């Protein structure tokens, strides 16, 4: 209801009003405003019954998809208090405050901060902190106070006077319990467990089994809830007393967050590969930036530089009051001593850092690396990968192949520059199947003074057509000292059509 009122200010006329949706037996009331509630209308009623009590009740059809989306956005926004948040039904959020309350000055102060922040969003909140999910839900929905904080010692006493509906059971089960005279959680808890187990042994679903819900509320049974995002393993959070509206102020905040995050990663010998920076705006918007590194990184200055070129794009609006830096992807990274002096200055920029900065500045899809591909055909042996910078990028210059007969690894020289497509050349040779003596490429004649080869490369018969021919590669040098990589496509009388043709495929340095 509050979401609809916040998005439709023209509809807040002070008259009885309700949101409704189509049910199996007609239109059902989903939510009511204060005037309708005072007149006797309540959620869950059929519209005909609600209008019989309140004839002036006006309705609008609810938007369940929009409500769910807004609640999920609030769940992400609520990560300013806890990294673990989940959506609970259509009107609630679950937060795991374990180990986070001290950051706000104890749990009472965190409760006050939650009420203040939710009021700024335009919501009236009822908040409870309890040892179990079931107890917190029950107190938030059925306790008279707007906020409640209980310990495990006070758990049974706090839950006892609440109605059985506070156990999150369906209406038919709650009606059955009331007919049996069990109207409160305390009266239900007094029943022996074996008796409840026999009575409700056929109730398989959690929302229909009051014993299961009772054990969850008292912490005697586990309850599994899926969070909006998995619990981050490494995360640094910072809050500010005054909202930040200028990008220049974000630089020291980023530096503090990166220092804390890298310290935690170093303790676990991990390095960042993908990092997320979140800036929580006071109006509920979450600005988000992500960067990815070519190799595991733990350099504070490098991380700050990657974000520094993009933070100016953030729209501050009324200002940011909380920030978080999260390691979305991290890999093992051992500590390496660079020299005898730990503070020895590094000369130049490491290649992975250069690639990271180029990707941030030019776009991740405009910067790629050469990566090895499972093929012995030269033009297929390497691919350009622009979507992800792989740590095992191919080192050009040599190809290492196993020689099972010799029992060792043989190195074969490969040209530093491989043409995108082999180019046809005219060749003069002594014999058709012998080495080349002279060739013409791009209207220029080259006399060959030295040659090495041939190196025969067979086609990939499992991929190619049956008429694809063998290649005999030669490394040749002309009279000026320039070296080329050329090959003869096919051999004489191989039964595959025309005479062999010659191609130039690469250039050596």
């Amino acid at each position: 209801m509050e979401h609809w009122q916040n998005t439709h200010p023209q509809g807040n006329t002070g008259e009885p009003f309700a949101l409704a949706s189509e049910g199996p037996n007609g239109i059902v009331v989903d939510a009511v405003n204060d005037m309708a509630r005072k007149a006797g209308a309540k959620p869950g009623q059929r519209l005909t019954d609600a209008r019989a009590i309140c004839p002036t009740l006006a309705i609008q059809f609810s938007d369940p998809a929009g409500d769910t989306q807004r609640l999920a956005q609030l769940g992400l926004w609520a990560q300013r208090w806890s990294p673990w948040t989940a959506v609970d039904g259509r009107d609630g959020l679950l937060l795991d405050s374990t180990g986070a309350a001290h950051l706000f000055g104890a749990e009472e102060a965190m409760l006050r901060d939650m009420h203040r922040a939710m009021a700024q969003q335009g919501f009236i909140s009822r908040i409870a902190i309890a040892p179990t999910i079931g107890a917190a839900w029950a107190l938030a929905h059925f306790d008279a106070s707007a906020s409640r904080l209980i310990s495990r010692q006070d758990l049974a006493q706090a839950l006892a006077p609440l109605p059985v509906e506070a156990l999150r059971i369906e209406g038919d089960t709650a009606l059955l319990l009331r007919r049996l005279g069990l109207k409160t959680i305390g009266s239900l808890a007094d029943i022996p467990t074996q008796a409840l187990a026999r009575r409700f042994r056929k109730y398989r679903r959690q929302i229909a089994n009051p014993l299961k819900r009772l054990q969850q509320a008292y912490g005697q049974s586990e309850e599994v809830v899926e969070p909006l995002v998995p619990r981050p393993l490494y995360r640094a959070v910072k809050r500010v007393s005054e909202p930040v509206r200028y990008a220049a102020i974000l630089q020291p905040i980023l530096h503090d967050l990166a220092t804390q995050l890298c310290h935690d990663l170093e303790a676990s010998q991990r390095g960042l590969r993908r990092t997320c920076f979140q800036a929580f705006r006071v109006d509920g918007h979450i600005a988000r930036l992500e960067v990815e590194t070519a190799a595991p990184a733990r350099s504070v200055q490098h991380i700050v530089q990657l974000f520094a070129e993009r933070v100016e794009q953030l729209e501050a609006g009324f200002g940011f009051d909380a920030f978080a830096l999260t390691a979305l992807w991290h890999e093992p990274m051992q500590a390496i001593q660079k020299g005898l002096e730990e503070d020895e200055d590094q000369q130049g920029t490491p290649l992975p850092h250069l690639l990271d900065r180029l990707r941030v500045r030019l776009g991740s899809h405009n910067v790629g690396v050469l990566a090895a591909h499972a093929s012995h055909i030269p033009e297929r042996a390497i691919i350009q990968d622009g979507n992800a910078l792989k740590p095992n990028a191919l080192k050009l210059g040599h190809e290492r192949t196993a020689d099972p007969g010799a029992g060792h690894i043989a190195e074969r020289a490969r040209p530093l520059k491989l043409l995108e497509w082999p180019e046809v050349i005219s060749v003069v040779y002594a014999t058709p199947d012998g080495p080349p003596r002279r060739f013409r490429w791009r209207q220029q004649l080259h006399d060959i003074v030295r040659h090495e080869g041939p190196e025969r490369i067979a086609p990939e018969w499992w991929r190619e057509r049956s008429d694809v021919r063998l290649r005999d590669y030669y490394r040749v040098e002309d009279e000026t000292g320039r070296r080329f990589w050329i090959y003869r496509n096919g051999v004489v009388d191989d039964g595959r059509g025309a005479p062999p043709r010659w191609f130039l495929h690469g250039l050596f340095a």
Side-chain angles (χ1 to χ4, degrees), residues 321-332:
D321 63 348
F323 305 89
L325 191 64
T326 307
L328 300 179
W329 174 20
H330 46 83
E331 293 181 350

Side-chain angles (χ1 to χ4, degrees), residues 202-259:
K202 296 182 180 180
Y203 290 68
R204 302 297 184 184
R205 296 181 301 160
Q206 287 188 145
I207 61 173
N209 193 325
L211 176 59
K212 182 67 173 179
R213 287 302 201 188
L214 184 68
Q215 292 174 337
Q216 290 177 347
Y218 281 95
Q220 300 168 353
S221 177
E222 290 186 353
E223 182 173 359
V224 179
V225 177
E226 183 179 358
L228 287 172
V229 294
R231 181 189 295 272
L233 184 58
Y234 299 99
R235 190 171 192 253
V237 181
K238 186 178 181 64
R239 297 175 61 86
V240 293
S241 57
E242 294 292 335
V244 175
R245 300 184 59 185
Y246 302 101
I249 307 179
L250 296 179
Q251 299 291 337
I253 295 176
L254 258 173
H255 189 276
D256 293 343
L257 292 173
T259 301

Side-chain angles (χ1 to χ4, degrees), residues 462-509:
W462 58 94
R463 293 177 179 171
E464 305 283 6
R465 303 187 309 272
S466 59
D467 57 350
V468 177
R469 312 181 78 172
L470 298 169
R471 297 182 185 181
D472 284 337
Y473 277 87
Y474 291 87
R475 290 181 290 277
V476 299
E477 180 180 333
D478 67 4
E479 68 281 2
T480 63
R482 298 182 63 188
R483 294 186 296 164
F484 307 88
W485 203 38
I486 64 177
Y487 71 88
R488 178 178 53 235
N489 189 40
V491 294
V492 179
D493 298 331
D494 60 1
R496 304 215 171 172
R501 302 176 65 193
W502 288 83
F503 295 86
L504 190 146
H505 203 168
L507 304 173
F508 292 90

Side-chain angles (χ1 to χ4, degrees), residues 39 42 61 83 89 124 213 231 256 268 270 401 492 505:
K42 59 183 180 180
F61 281 97
I124 300 174
R213 287 302 201 188
R231 181 189 295 272
D256 293 343
S268 302
R270 310 288 293 182
T401 59
V492 179
H505 203 168

Side-chain angles (χ1 to χ4, degrees), residues 45-68:
Q45 284 181 323
R46 291 191 301 175
L47 181 60
T48 54
D49 297 335
R51 279 188 168 160
I53 299 173
C54 180
T56 60
L57 181 67
I59 70 161
Q60 287 285 344
F61 281 97
S62 58
D63 179 18
D67 294 340
T68 301

Side-chain angles (χ1 to χ4, degrees), residues 166-481:
L167 290 176
R168 299 173 294 166
I169 54 179
E170 57 187 13
D172 293 342
T173 305
L175 180 60
L176 174 62
L177 291 175
R178 287 187 173 276
R179 288 175 177 175
L180 295 174
L182 304 174
K183 300 180 180 180
T184 64
I185 294 179
S187 61
L188 183 64
D190 292 336
I191 304 298
T193 302
Q194 293 181 351
L196 288 176
R198 286 196 303 269
R199 179 64 180 82
F200 296 99
R201 63 179 180 271
K202 296 182 180 180
Y203 290 68
R204 302 297 184 184
R205 296 181 301 160
Q206 287 188 145
I207 61 173
N209 193 325
L211 176 59
K212 182 67 173 179
R213 287 302 201 188
L214 184 68
Q215 292 174 337
Q216 290 177 347
Y218 281 95
Q220 300 168 353
S221 177
E222 290 186 353
E223 182 173 359
V224 179
V225 177
E226 183 179 358
L228 287 172
V229 294
R231 181 189 295 272
L233 184 58
Y234 299 99
R235 190 171 192 253
V237 181
K238 186 178 181 64
R239 297 175 61 86
V240 293
S241 57
E242 294 292 335
V244 175
R245 300 184 59 185
Y246 302 101
I249 307 179
L250 296 179
Q251 299 291 337
I253 295 176
L254 258 173
H255 189 276
D256 293 343
L257 292 173
T259 301
Q260 178 184 345
L261 185 62
C262 290
H263 179 270
D264 296 340
L265 290 167
E266 186 176 8
S268 302
Q269 296 188 348
R270 310 288 293 182
L272 291 172
R273 285 301 306 275
R274 185 181 297 119
T275 317
C276 172
F277 173 67
Q278 292 173 298
F280 298 86
R281 218 160 64 184
V282 295
D283 61 354
H285 175 74
I286 304 174
R288 180 187 178 98
L289 295 176
E290 285 190 19
V291 297
E292 185 174 325
T293 60
R298 255 192 335 251
S299 170
V300 174
Q301 188 62 29
H302 178 56
I303 296 172
V304 173
Q305 285 181 345
L306 294 182
F307 284 108
E309 298 184 9
R310 299 175 59 188
V311 292
E312 295 183 356
Q313 304 172 6
L314 301 180
E315 296 182 3
F318 294 103
F320 303 111
D321 63 348
F323 305 89
L325 191 64
T326 307
L328 300 179
W329 174 20
H330 46 83
E331 293 181 350
M333 181 180 180
Q334 301 293 333
I336 301 176
Q337 183 175 347
K338 300 176 183 177
L340 295 178
E341 299 287 342
E342 280 293 345
D343 58 350
E344 182 179 359
D345 292 336
Q346 185 176 10
Q347 300 296 325
T349 302
L351 178 60
H353 290 191
L354 175 61
L355 293 175
D356 297 340
R357 296 174 66 178
L358 288 175
R359 293 187 76 196
V360 170
R361 187 167 299 178
L362 303 178
S364 59
H365 296 285
N366 296 324
V367 180
V369 295
L370 297 179
H373 183 63
S375 177
H376 65 273
I377 305 299
E379 63 268 25
R380 300 176 186 167
I382 55 175
I383 59 174
Q384 182 169 338
D385 190 350
N387 296 325
L389 294 176
K390 300 183 181 297
N392 58 340
L394 183 65
K395 254 178 117 176
L396 295 180
H398 291 81
E399 176 185 326
R400 298 171 63 85
T401 59
D403 187 350
H408 63 274
I409 299 296
E411 289 196 0
R412 295 177 177 175
R414 288 289 182 260
L416 291 180
K417 178 175 178 55
L418 198 68
L419 300 183
E420 185 175 0
W421 299 102
E423 298 185 11
V424 177
I425 58 176
S426 301
V427 175
V428 175
Y429 44 81
T431 58
D433 56 353
R437 299 298 185 188
R438 176 183 298 175
F439 70 93
R440 183 182 298 275
W441 176 54
R442 295 182 180 178
Q443 306 302 320
Q444 186 174 356
L445 190 63
H446 300 268
D447 288 322
I448 298 174
V449 296
R450 295 183 182 85
H451 73 271
E452 182 180 354
E455 173 192 345
R456 177 159 291 182
I457 297 180
E460 296 178 331
W461 54 267
W462 58 94
R463 293 177 179 171
E464 305 283 6
R465 303 187 309 272
S466 59
D467 57 350
V468 177
R469 312 181 78 172
L470 298 169
R471 297 182 185 181
D472 284 337
Y473 277 87
Y474 291 87
R475 290 181 290 277
V476 299
E477 180 180 333
D478 67 4
E479 68 281 2
T480 63

